[in-house]
């Protein structure tokens, strides 16, 4: 009987610290998908479509999702000095992923085929 108690105490002494250690590790936590980027309108002739654009930055990865079919769009990414990093054209609904190589402040401008424009500002910090 005493040997069983010693064995149980020994096992608990091994298992509990390991369990608590894993509870705080990245193995058991989930990421939220990055920091959201607020999309604002620059100009629009029709209805406001900013709610149909979802953008976020996660480390150096910029993700843009179009939540409905909005037609053809141009996506332009510039740094704080106005230098263009990327110009891409896409059909919606589709997702767009771009790797921002260096830390800094950036602006993404989304232009629709009817010249409606939307923008979002974000920082890459790590």
């Amino acid at each position: 009987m005493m040997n069983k108690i010693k064995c149980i105490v020994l096992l608990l002494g091994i298992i509990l610290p390991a369990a608590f250690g894993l509870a705080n590790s990245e193995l058991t936590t989930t990421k939220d998908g990055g920091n959201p980027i607020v999309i604002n309108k620059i100009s629009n002739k029709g209805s406001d479509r900013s709610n149909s654009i979802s953008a976020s930055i996660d480390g150096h990865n910029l993700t843009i999702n179009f939540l409905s079919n909005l037609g053809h769009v141009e996506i332009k990414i510039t740094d704080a000095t106005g230098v263009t990093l990327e110009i891409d054209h896409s059909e919606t609904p589709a997702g767009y992923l771009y790797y921002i190589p260096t830390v800094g402040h950036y602006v993404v401008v989304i232009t629709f085929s009817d010249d409606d424009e939307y923008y979002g500002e974000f920082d890459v910090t790590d």
Side-chain angles (χ1 to χ4, degrees):
M1 178 74 161
M2 189 65 147
N3 284 338
K4 285 184 181 182
I5 292 174
K6 285 181 182 180
C7 187
I8 291 173
V9 170
L10 180 63
L11 287 174
L12 286 176
I14 294 170
I15 293 173
L16 288 178
F20 288 120
L22 285 176
N24 290 326
S25 76
E26 213 172 297
L27 296 174
T28 59
T29 58
T30 58
K31 295 185 109 179
D32 64 357
N35 298 316
I37 299 169
V38 176
I39 301 297
N40 301 294
K41 64 182 176 179
I42 297 173
S43 64
N44 67 328
K45 299 174 182 132
S47 61
D48 185 0
R49 296 180 273 191
S50 60
N51 289 336
S52 297
I53 305 167
S54 171
S56 64
I57 187 74
D58 186 8
H60 289 262
N61 296 311
L62 170 66
T63 304
I64 301 172
N65 292 308
F66 299 97
L67 307 176
S68 60
N69 187 354
L70 302 170
H72 186 76
V73 295
E74 176 186 88
I75 301 166
K76 180 178 178 182
I77 303 166
T78 59
D79 67 11
T81 63
V83 173
T84 300
L85 277 79
E86 174 79 3
I87 296 178
D88 197 9
H89 298 271
S90 180
E91 292 295 327
T92 62
Y96 177 79
L97 179 65
Y98 183 74
Y99 180 80
I100 308 291
T102 57
V103 298
H105 186 77
Y106 296 90
V107 177
V108 59
V109 176
I110 300 162
T111 306
F112 292 96
S113 58
D114 62 359
D115 293 328
D116 282 359
E117 289 185 305
Y118 297 85
Y119 77 98
E121 296 185 44
F122 60 96
D123 293 309
V124 174
T125 57
D126 50 51

